[in-house]
């Protein structure tokens, strides 16, 4: 006896629904595990950022967690960026022999997955400026970061840091962008102002920024302005 056409179609539809449900369950399972491992890597990263330096054990644990999170979700932009930061700490703390291109590749993948996320452009600019000595690429990423996040402090901070490090190599437009970024940074909190002052002192540009801020409209708060000028104009 021949099975009616509509019955065969129903069977096909049922199989499709079942396979779709299985796929969704597997995807949700992978997302859950990826998120859990990423949370672990991010926890360590936050501890290091708060001033608790990584140990060999904590770095190894964070790196492994980051790698595992990417095994479950290899295209997750946030996971890629986090793993890049973890590897940077491993290099900075001399706990790992990290290749510069490995970090750059992670940030590039993160940017490709989420091109409007301005913080990753700042991280990539830092890599090109201080580990590749490539000002052109660094500045290109600063531009893109400011395009997507004109008031993102990470981008502004890197614009100033890179600008100060490469000051003799900058053209007038680039130098103005450094001044403008510094001007925006002083609109943030005291922590950002202290970071800015530390960078200016390190590169011995106090007189230059003293003159600029004397004629700048920022910061508008008089106490903050007095503090800034007192630190710069000695």
């Amino acid at each position: 006896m021949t099975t009616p056409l509509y019955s065969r179609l129903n069977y096909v539809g049922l199989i499709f629904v079942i396979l779709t449900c299985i796929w969704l369950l597997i995807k949700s399972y992978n997302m859950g595990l990826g998120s859990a491992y990423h949370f672990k890597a991010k926890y360590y990263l936050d501890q290091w950022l708060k001033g608790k330096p990584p140990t060999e054990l904590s770095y190894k644990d964070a790196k492994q967690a980051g790698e595992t999170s990417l095994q479950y979700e290899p295209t997750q932009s946030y996971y890629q960026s986090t793993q890049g930061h973890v590897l940077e700490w491993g290099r900075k703390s001399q706990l790992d022999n990290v290749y510069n291109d490995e970090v750059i590749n992670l940030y590039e993948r993160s940017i490709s997955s989420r091109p409007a996320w301005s913080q990753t452009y700042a991280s990539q600019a830092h890599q090109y400026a201080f580990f590749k000595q490539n000002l052109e690429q660094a500045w290109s990423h600063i531009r893109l970061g400011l395009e997507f996040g004109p008031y993102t402090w990470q981008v502004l901070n890197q614009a100033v840091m890179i600008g100060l490090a490469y000051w003799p190599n900058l053209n007038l437009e680039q130098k103005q962008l450094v001044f403008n970024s510094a001007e925006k940074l002083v609109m943030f909190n005291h922590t950002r102002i202290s970071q800015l002052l530390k960078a200016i002192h390190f590169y011995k540009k106090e007189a230059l920024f003293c003159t600029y801020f004397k004629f700048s409209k920022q910061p508008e708060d008089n106490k903050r302005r007095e503090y800034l000028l007192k630190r710069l104009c000695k």
Side-chain angles (χ1 to χ4, degrees):
M1 181 176 180
T2 305
T3 304
L5 177 61
Y6 74 88
S7 296
R8 293 201 299 271
L9 291 175
N10 283 340
Y11 291 145
V12 172
L14 181 61
I15 292 171
F16 175 78
V17 170
I18 292 172
L19 290 175
T20 300
C21 289
I22 292 172
W23 178 82
L24 288 172
L25 285 171
I26 293 172
K27 185 174 178 61
S28 298
Y29 177 76
N30 286 343
M31 287 177 64
L33 284 176
S35 178
Y37 279 106
H38 173 259
F39 180 83
K40 186 177 184 180
K42 189 67 169 59
Y43 167 79
Y44 283 118
L45 190 59
D46 289 341
Q47 292 298 305
W48 303 339
L49 288 169
K50 290 176 182 177
K52 184 179 180 180
T55 62
E56 185 176 353
L57 181 61
S58 68
Y59 172 73
K60 183 179 180 180
D61 204 17
K63 182 181 179 182
Q64 182 60 53
E67 289 174 349
T68 306
S69 71
L70 287 170
Q71 288 174 7
Y72 284 107
E73 289 197 82
T75 62
Q76 229 291 356
S77 175
Y78 196 29
Y79 299 179
Q80 292 160 345
S81 179
T82 296
Q83 186 67 351
H85 289 302
V86 168
L87 293 182
E88 281 196 73
W89 274 95
R91 179 178 57 195
K92 178 182 178 182
S93 305
Q94 298 182 330
L95 293 171
D96 198 358
N97 294 319
V98 177
Y99 292 104
N100 297 331
D101 288 343
E102 187 177 358
V103 180
I104 286 175
N105 180 53
L106 280 165
Y107 289 145
E108 201 59 48
R109 286 165 55 195
S110 178
I111 289 170
S112 297
S113 301
R114 192 177 178 182
W117 197 7
S118 57
Q119 292 96 323
T120 311
Y121 290 104
S123 300
Q124 191 72 301
H126 179 84
Q127 292 303 306
Y128 276 115
F130 297 107
F131 295 97
K132 285 289 190 177
Q133 288 73 50
N134 189 330
L135 177 60
E136 183 179 355
Q137 278 287 352
W139 208 256
S140 173
H141 282 82
I142 287 295
R143 289 280 191 192
L144 288 167
L146 289 171
E147 180 181 333
F148 290 108
Y151 285 92
T152 304
W153 77 263
Q154 292 94 332
V155 181
L156 297 170
N157 184 60
Q158 284 303 320
V160 172
M161 292 296 293
I162 294 169
L164 289 172
Y166 285 88
W167 191 260
N169 305 100
L170 302 185
N171 58 38
L172 290 177
E173 182 184 359
Q174 291 170 324
K175 288 179 178 179
Q176 186 58 54
L177 188 147
V178 175
F179 283 130
N180 291 344
S181 298
E183 205 170 37
K184 290 178 181 178
L185 278 174
V186 299
M187 296 165 60
F188 284 81
N189 53 35
H190 184 76
T191 300
R192 303 297 169 229
I193 294 177
S194 296
Q195 290 173 338
L196 173 64
L197 288 169
K198 186 177 179 180
I200 292 172
H201 292 321
F202 180 82
Y203 288 103
K204 304 185 186 305
K205 292 290 187 292
E206 294 92 340
L208 186 66
F209 280 83
C210 167
T211 302
Y212 182 81
F213 278 110
K214 276 184 177 179
F215 298 96
S216 171
K217 294 181 180 180
Q218 296 295 341
E220 293 180 345
D221 180 82
N222 288 331
K223 289 186 178 180
R224 188 176 296 188
R225 185 179 183 82
E226 288 176 8
Y227 172 78
L228 185 67
L229 292 177
K230 183 179 180 181
R231 295 289 303 276
L232 290 172
C233 307
K234 295 182 179 179

